[in-house]
Amino acid sequence: MSTTNDALAKWVEETAALTKPDNIVWCDGSDEEYNRMVDMMLESGTLLKLNEETHPNCYLHRSDPSDVARVEHLTFVCSKNEEDAGPNNHWMDPVEATKKLDELFDGCMQGRTMYVIPYCMGPIDSPLSRNGVEITDSPYVVANMKIMARIGTPALKRIEKEGTFVKGVHSTGDLDPEKRFIMHFPEELLIRSIGSGYGGNALLGKKCHALRIASWQARTEGWLAEHMLIMGLESPEGETHYVACAFPSACGKTNLAMLIPPEQYNGWKVTTVGDDICWLHLREDGRLWAINPESGYFGVIPGTNEWSNKNAYECLKSDAIFTNAGVTADNQPWWEDKDDGMEPVTDWKGNPYDPEVGPAAHPNSRFTVSAKNNPVYSPMADDPNGVPISAIIFGGRRKELAPLVYEAKDWEHGVLVGASCASEMTAAAIGGAGQVRRDPMAMKPFCGYNFADYFAHWLTFGPKSDKLPKLFHVNWFRRDQDGKFMWPGFGENMRVLAWVLDRVTGKVDARETPIGYLPNVDDIDIEGLDVSKETMEALLSVNVAQWQDEVQAISEYLDEFGARTPQTLKDELAKISSALQSKAA
Ligand code: GTP
Ligand code: SPV
Ligand code: MN
């Protein structure tokens, strides 16, 4: 196979000349091809077969112990001007970066096969979708890309018709962390990644393309590429609203997107459009329409069980790849809080399991499964038009301060709410776990350009429509003095979503506070929960002194972007500051 697109043919040729693979395979995306990759990896030991009876067609991959998460310190945006990458990104001069990478890529595929994977992010027949081609020397990447994106012949046809595509070159290299780089050249729509075989570092359609490069494209083309789940909420009356939620990595997107409502919400139906990435376009009807560019899930394994996320748990019973899980004596995958009464015998490194040494599954162990495995997968996820969004919910993982839920007063205020999000870092990236950092719109690791320009881009939507989604903020992760979560979370989050929808449809009043509209305590239904009214009051309170400190911290953060910071955000912050001041007085 080859291609009629000259630019693609030439680029593949040039890449092969540099990397010197033994041979070149163009991926067609077929099931046979997937099976061939699996067989090859079983033979080389890259994959281990799991219990065929309990987990048909499931495999375990153990990545190199130094290669288990995204590497933000080795991820660069190489725009021509440093200012365009912004203080939110690591920057390298594109000429210098190219020189460095040319050396590292020189001959790196010797003795290996080079795979050319044409892919389409989004439904193959959607004008909102975008094409890409990933060149890789990793069969693990080919197999995972097959699950995560629409790859192969249909994507290549689309590329040949449209002529445009994002280029991604990936090599596992020698996995030396000193020679690991994930580099983006937004002006050239080019990604070059070497030295890691893991998730977001290697499956280039995901964070590298669909967020970093796409956010750059989206800004020039007038749309938004966001780190958001998309879910449908159908009421017993048959009315469906779609909401998109931006939570940082490992802060609950997959879980919320597949939520099973508690008993008293019988008759409500939740469907998943997407669990990680959302592309938003403003249509002539004045609404924001969303597509999920992906077709599978690369989800956090630990904590997934029948009770926390039954739909995900069901997904994992067949046709899944487990990366860095533990294993039981009868060869079933195992992880912390699986709660199935089984015991692990082998840990994620392949050593005999010893709780003194560490967990059985790596905290950032992941599953890869097709969205088709999800019992509540929305048929609308394949609709070329996408779905109209009624609410956008920002969030983060914060022990204190941020209430369970609040609503922004208007679009401008909501953009500030998104821009000032902060969250405890997680195992999804190497380093810093547990520390609170600013993570605007959950895009800190993923915005491919200067955050100040990104905030300004968000603000441009305000004047364009009066039918934009309402903007909210949630925090499932408040803790009490004993360090225990105050809110039960998971399926019970439906109770908060119900309030959000009631606000969207104008069915419920709210309390105006300096930081936004908060629910009246009785408007969040806690029937059947082991949560006291006092806890709800604490979860729905605004601590003026703490928020005054927060406003100061947000102000300092916005100042990091210098003159590029939109004045509108400073004005919005000043309003909050003076409202807090009058409360304190
Ligand atoms: P990425 O795939 O990294 O972008 O993560 P994500 O945002 O999809 O997070 P995910 O849903 O996989 O959840 C990450 C971790 O948070 C898991 O261990 C979950 O069990 C836990 N979690 C998810 N939702 C809740 C919640 O409502 N409350 C609590 N306490 N924990 C939650
Ligand atoms: C995240 O870290 O937000 C993920 C996993 O969704 S990765 O694909 O590794 O980026
Ligand atoms: Mn993510």
Side-chain angles (χ1 to χ4, degrees):
M1 201 165 93
S2 180
T3 179
T4 59
N5 182 298
D6 291 342
L8 174 54
K10 184 160 168 272
W11 172 63
V12 169
E13 223 169 82
E14 283 167 6
T15 305
L18 175 65
T19 59
K20 307 179 181 69
D22 283 8
N23 45 62
I24 301 177
V25 170
W26 287 72
C27 296
D28 61 15
S30 64
D31 292 344
E32 294 72 38
E33 180 178 83
Y34 178 84
N35 293 336
R36 268 201 311 280
M37 294 298 136
V38 167
D39 288 344
M40 231 164 58
M41 287 189 277
L42 286 172
E43 194 152 309
S44 68
T46 306
L47 286 189
L48 302 170
K49 184 147 183 57
L50 291 166
N51 188 319
E52 180 62 23
E53 248 154 59
T54 58
H55 291 76
N57 297 319
C58 287
Y59 304 95
L60 173 69
H61 172 67
R62 293 192 183 115
S63 72
D64 188 278
S66 78
D67 187 32
V68 293
R70 285 182 293 99
V71 281
E72 294 179 8
H73 57 297
L74 304 173
T75 300
F76 290 78
V77 170
C78 308
S79 47
K80 286 190 184 121
N81 297 318
E82 183 170 3
E83 278 269 280
D84 291 336
N88 46 304
N89 280 300
H90 297 294
W91 176 83
M92 199 182 287
D93 178 82
V95 175
E96 188 192 331
T98 300
K99 187 163 164 273
K100 197 181 199 52
L101 290 170
D102 281 350
E103 278 165 25
L104 292 171
F105 273 100
D106 190 358
C108 68
M109 295 190 191
Q110 273 165 11
R112 300 181 189 177
T113 295
M114 181 173 112
Y115 300 97
V116 182
I117 317 170
Y119 63 84
C120 174
M121 298 311 287
I124 203 92
D125 53 352
S126 171
L128 310 183
S129 302
R130 291 291 186 273
N131 311 316
V133 178
E134 174 162 1
I135 294 177
T136 180
D137 55 11
S138 160
Y140 172 82
V141 167
V142 176
N144 278 271
M145 282 292 285
K146 153 89 174 161
I147 299 173
M148 296 301 298
R150 293 148 175 102
I151 72 165
T153 308
L156 183 60
K157 285 211 178 105
R158 198 183 142 120
I159 290 168
E160 289 173 344
K161 202 166 114 219
E162 293 188 348
T164 55
F165 60 96
V166 169
K167 298 174 192 157
V169 187
H170 166 258
S171 172
T172 314
D174 54 13
L175 292 174
D176 176 355
E178 297 297 312
K179 293 189 261 169
R180 183 176 293 163
F181 292 101
I182 324 296
M183 301 231 191
H184 306 72
F185 301 83
E187 283 117 339
E188 297 172 60
L189 303 184
L190 171 67
I191 304 150
R192 299 178 78 182
S193 163
I194 189 158
S196 167
Y198 191 84
N201 302 330
L203 311 175
L204 302 186
K206 197 173 175 60
K207 297 301 169 47
C208 300
H209 175 166
L211 288 178
R212 295 194 193 96
I213 298 289
S215 62
W216 177 290
Q217 281 183 300
R219 179 182 169 228
T220 47
E221 297 170 7
W223 50 284
L224 294 164
E226 299 299 329
H227 190 204
M228 293 176 183
L229 69 91
I230 310 163
M231 70 196 293
L233 289 155
E234 187 185 329
S235 71
E237 294 78 43
E239 189 186 355
T240 303
H241 283 279
Y242 293 93
V243 304
C245 307
F247 309 154
S249 303
C251 290
K253 290 182 300 303
T254 303
N255 277 269
L256 195 71
M258 298 182 183
L259 174 150
I260 295 176
E263 241 168 54
Q264 73 265 45
Y265 291 87
N266 240 332
W268 281 82
K269 239 173 89 185
V270 168
T271 51
T272 316
V273 178
D275 83 323
D276 198 48
I277 302 182
C278 168
W279 287 356
L280 289 160
H281 288 255
L282 187 63
R283 284 266 176 73
E284 309 77 59
D285 67 356
R287 300 194 68 183
L288 278 181
W289 288 71
I291 62 163
N292 169 18
E294 301 188 284
S295 63
Y297 312 124
F298 186 64
V300 174
I301 304 179
T304 308
N305 62 46
E306 288 233 48
W307 298 273
S308 64
N309 189 353
K310 186 165 196 294
N311 287 323
Y313 199 73
E314 290 299 315
C315 285
L316 304 184
K317 291 194 166 156
S318 69
D319 306 288
I321 299 174
F322 294 83
T323 298
N324 297 333
V327 185
T328 64
D330 67 344
N331 212 24
Q332 296 190 48
W334 197 90
W335 52 86
E336 276 59 32
D337 296 324
K338 190 182 184 194
D339 281 355
D340 63 349
M342 314 261 306
E343 294 287 332
V345 296
T346 309
D347 72 10
W348 62 276
K349 291 183 183 166
N351 297 325
Y353 171 63
D354 177 354
E356 301 281 308
V357 174
H362 186 276
N364 192 39
S365 53
R366 297 265 169 175
F367 56 79
T368 324
V369 283
S370 166
K372 296 201 180 96
N373 272 27
N374 176 0
V376 298
Y377 184 53
S378 169
M380 294 302 286
D382 290 303
D383 193 306
N385 291 317
V387 295
I389 298 296
S390 300
I392 290 177
I393 307 178
F394 302 112
R397 193 182 268 273
R398 296 199 79 171
K399 285 189 185 67
E400 42 187 28
L401 188 79
L404 181 61
V405 59
Y406 61 100
E407 179 191 339
K409 295 184 179 174
D410 53 28
W411 185 262
E412 283 70 29
H413 174 223
V415 174
L416 176 69
V417 170
S420 49
C421 282
S423 193
E424 290 159 34
M425 291 161 77
T426 64
I430 303 281
Q435 284 171 42
V436 176
R437 70 160 171 188
R438 294 283 151 209
D439 195 345
M441 281 89 166
M443 285 287 277
K444 167 69 186 75
F446 308 120
C447 183
Y449 63 102
N450 191 317
F451 255 152
D453 300 342
Y454 170 82
F455 303 148
H457 181 48
W458 264 82
L459 288 167
T460 62
F461 289 85
K464 284 189 190 147
S465 167
D466 56 5
K467 297 195 188 66
L468 293 174
K470 281 183 180 281
L471 304 177
F472 296 83
H473 187 283
V474 297
N475 178 19
W476 314 139
F477 300 96
R478 277 282 283 271
R479 296 188 192 242
D480 63 18
Q481 279 122 329
D482 304 326
K484 289 225 306 273
F485 289 117
M486 294 163 72
W487 176 250
F490 301 101
E492 310 300 348
N493 293 331
M494 179 68 207
R495 299 165 189 266
V496 173
L497 294 176
W499 182 80
V500 165
L501 289 192
D502 281 347
R503 289 297 294 165
V504 164
T505 52
K507 288 192 189 124
V508 71
D509 284 339
R511 274 186 302 140
E512 186 168 357
T513 78
I515 66 163
Y517 299 117
L518 266 80
N520 293 305
V521 175
D522 292 335
D523 287 338
I524 304 275
D525 182 357
I526 52 167
E527 194 199 309
L529 283 188
D530 188 19
V531 175
S532 68
K533 183 144 182 188
E534 290 69 46
T535 300
M536 286 312 288
E537 273 160 7
L539 284 170
L540 296 173
S541 63
V542 177
N543 182 314
V544 171
Q546 277 186 6
W547 271 98
Q548 282 181 315
D549 291 344
E550 180 73 356
V551 163
Q552 183 56 33
I554 295 167
S555 169
E556 283 162 21
Y557 178 68
L558 292 177
D559 283 344
E560 287 175 26
F561 300 91
R564 286 203 187 201
T565 305
Q567 185 59 39
T568 309
L569 292 190
K570 295 187 188 175
D571 295 345
E572 287 297 327
L573 191 63
K575 281 192 226 167
I576 298 172
S577 180
S578 64
L580 286 166
Q581 188 68 45
S582 25
K583 284 264 173 193

Coordinates of all heavy atoms in Angstrom, one line a residue, residues 227 247-255 275-276 298 300 302-303 366 397 428 476-477 485 489-490 493, ligand 1:
H227 N -9.9 19.5 27.1 CA -9.7 18.3 27.9 C -10.9 18.0 28.7 O -11.0 18.2 29.9 CB -8.5 18.5 28.8 CG -8.0 17.2 29.5 ND1 -7.3 17.3 30.7 CD2 -8.1 15.9 29.2 CE1 -7.0 16.1 31.1 NE2 -7.4 15.2 30.2
F247 N -12.0 18.3 33.8 CA -11.3 18.0 35.1 C -9.8 17.5 34.7 O -9.7 16.8 33.7 CB -11.9 16.8 35.8 CG -13.4 16.9 36.1 CD1 -14.2 15.8 36.3 CD2 -14.0 18.2 36.2 CE1 -15.5 15.9 36.5 CE2 -15.4 18.3 36.4 CZ -16.2 17.1 36.5
P248 N -8.8 17.9 35.5 CA -7.5 17.5 35.2 C -7.3 15.9 35.2 O -8.2 15.2 35.6 CB -6.7 18.1 36.4 CG -7.5 19.2 36.9 CD -8.9 18.8 36.7
S249 N -6.2 15.5 34.7 CA -5.9 14.1 34.6 C -6.1 13.4 35.9 O -5.7 13.9 37.0 CB -4.4 13.9 34.2 OG -4.2 14.6 32.9
A250 N -6.7 12.2 35.8 CA -7.0 11.4 37.0 C -7.9 12.1 38.0 O -7.7 12.0 39.2 CB -5.8 10.8 37.6
C251 N -8.8 13.0 37.6 CA -9.7 13.7 38.5 C -11.2 13.4 38.2 O -12.1 14.2 38.5 CB -9.4 15.2 38.4 SG -7.9 15.6 39.2
G252 N -11.4 12.3 37.5 CA -12.8 11.8 37.5 C -13.6 11.9 36.2 O -14.8 11.7 36.2
K253 N -13.0 12.2 35.0 CA -13.7 12.3 33.8 C -14.4 11.0 33.3 O -15.5 10.9 33.1 CB -12.9 12.9 32.7 CG -12.5 14.4 32.9 CD -11.7 14.9 31.7 CE -10.4 14.2 31.5 NZ -9.5 14.2 32.6
T254 N -13.5 10.0 33.3 CA -14.0 8.7 32.8 C -15.2 8.2 33.7 O -16.2 7.7 33.2 CB -12.9 7.6 32.7 OG1 -11.9 8.1 31.9 CG2 -13.4 6.3 32.2
N255 N -15.0 8.4 35.0 CA -16.0 7.9 35.9 C -17.3 8.7 35.7 O -18.4 8.1 35.7 CB -15.5 8.1 37.4 CG -14.7 6.9 37.8 OD1 -15.2 5.9 38.3 ND2 -13.4 7.0 37.5
D275 N -14.8 10.6 27.0 CA -14.4 10.6 28.4 C -13.1 11.4 28.6 O -12.6 11.5 29.7 CB -14.1 9.2 28.8 CG -12.7 8.6 28.4 OD1 -12.3 9.0 27.3 OD2 -12.1 7.9 29.2
D276 N -12.6 12.1 27.5 CA -11.3 12.8 27.7 C -11.1 14.0 26.9 O -10.6 15.0 27.4 CB -10.1 11.8 27.5 CG -8.8 12.2 28.0 OD1 -8.8 12.6 29.2 OD2 -7.8 12.3 27.3
F298 N -8.6 5.4 27.2 CA -7.3 5.0 27.9 C -7.5 5.4 29.3 O -7.1 6.5 29.7 CB -6.2 5.7 27.1 CG -4.8 5.3 27.6 CD1 -4.3 4.0 27.4 CD2 -4.0 6.3 28.2 CE1 -3.1 3.7 27.8 CE2 -2.7 5.9 28.6 CZ -2.2 4.6 28.5
V300 N -7.8 5.2 33.7 CA -7.2 4.9 34.9 C -7.8 3.6 35.5 O -9.0 3.5 35.6 CB -7.3 6.0 36.0 CG1 -6.8 5.6 37.3 CG2 -6.7 7.3 35.5
P302 N -6.8 1.8 38.6 CA -7.0 1.6 40.1 C -8.3 2.4 40.5 O -8.6 3.5 40.0 CB -5.8 2.3 40.7 CG -4.7 2.2 39.7 CD -5.4 2.3 38.4
G303 N -9.0 1.8 41.4 CA -10.3 2.4 41.8 C -11.5 2.0 41.0 O -12.6 2.2 41.4
R366 N -3.3 1.7 33.3 CA -4.4 2.1 32.4 C -5.0 0.9 31.6 O -4.3 -0.1 31.4 CB -3.8 3.1 31.3 CG -3.3 4.4 31.9 CD -4.3 5.5 31.9 NE -3.9 6.7 32.7 CZ -4.6 7.8 32.7 NH1 -5.7 7.9 32.0 NH2 -4.2 8.8 33.5
R397 N -9.3 18.8 41.9 CA -9.2 17.9 43.1 C -8.6 18.8 44.2 O -7.4 19.2 44.2 CB -8.2 16.8 42.8 CG -8.1 15.7 43.7 CD -7.0 14.7 43.2 NE -7.5 13.7 42.3 CZ -8.0 12.5 42.6 NH1 -8.0 12.2 43.9 NH2 -8.4 11.7 41.8
A428 N -0.8 10.7 36.9 CA -0.9 10.7 35.4 C 0.3 11.3 34.8 O 0.6 11.1 33.6 CB -2.2 11.4 34.9
W476 N -15.3 17.3 43.7 CA -15.8 16.1 44.4 C -14.9 15.7 45.5 O -15.1 14.7 46.2 CB -15.8 14.9 43.4 CG -16.4 15.0 42.1 CD1 -15.9 14.5 40.9 CD2 -17.7 15.6 41.7 NE1 -16.8 14.7 39.9 CE2 -17.9 15.4 40.3 CE3 -18.7 16.3 42.4 CZ2 -19.0 15.9 39.6 CZ3 -19.8 16.8 41.7 CH2 -19.9 16.6 40.4
F477 N -13.8 16.4 45.7 CA -12.6 15.9 46.5 C -12.4 16.7 47.8 O -11.3 16.6 48.3 CB -11.4 15.9 45.6 CG -11.5 15.0 44.4 CD1 -11.9 15.6 43.2 CD2 -11.3 13.7 44.5 CE1 -12.1 14.8 42.0 CE2 -11.5 12.8 43.4 CZ -11.9 13.4 42.1
F485 N -12.9 11.9 52.4 CA -13.7 12.6 51.4 C -15.1 12.9 52.0 O -15.8 12.1 52.6 CB -13.9 11.8 50.1 CG -12.7 11.7 49.3 CD1 -12.1 10.4 49.1 CD2 -12.1 12.8 48.7 CE1 -11.0 10.3 48.3 CE2 -10.9 12.7 48.0 CZ -10.4 11.4 47.7
G489 N -19.3 11.0 46.0 CA -18.8 11.0 44.6 C -19.4 9.9 43.8 O -20.4 9.4 44.0
F490 N -18.7 9.6 42.7 CA -19.1 8.6 41.7 C -20.5 8.7 41.3 O -20.9 9.9 40.9 CB -18.7 7.2 42.3 CG -17.3 7.0 42.6 CD1 -16.8 7.2 43.9 CD2 -16.3 6.8 41.5 CE1 -15.4 7.1 44.1 CE2 -15.0 6.7 41.8 CZ -14.5 6.9 43.1
N493 N -22.6 11.7 42.2 CA -22.4 13.0 41.5 C -23.6 13.4 40.7 O -23.8 14.6 40.3 CB -21.2 13.0 40.7 CG -19.9 12.9 41.6 OD1 -19.9 13.3 42.7 ND2 -18.9 12.3 41.0
Ligands
GTP1 P1 -7.4 10.9 32.8 O1 -7.7 9.7 32.0 O2 -6.1 10.9 33.4 O3 -7.7 12.2 32.1 O4 -8.4 10.8 34.1 P2 -9.9 11.0 34.4 O5 -10.2 12.5 34.6 O6 -10.8 10.3 33.4 O7 -10.1 10.3 35.8 P3 -10.9 9.0 36.2 O8 -12.3 9.0 36.0 O9 -10.2 7.8 35.6 O10 -10.6 8.9 37.8 C1 -9.3 9.0 38.4 C2 -9.3 8.5 39.8 O11 -10.2 9.3 40.6 C3 -9.8 7.0 39.9 O12 -9.0 6.4 40.8 C4 -11.2 7.2 40.4 O13 -11.6 6.1 41.2 C5 -11.2 8.5 41.2 N1 -12.5 9.2 41.2 C6 -13.3 9.4 40.1 N2 -14.4 10.0 40.4 C7 -14.4 10.2 41.8 C8 -15.3 10.8 42.7 O14 -16.4 11.3 42.4 N3 -14.9 10.9 44.0 C9 -13.7 10.3 44.4 N4 -13.4 10.4 45.7 N5 -12.8 9.7 43.6 C10 -13.1 9.7 42.3

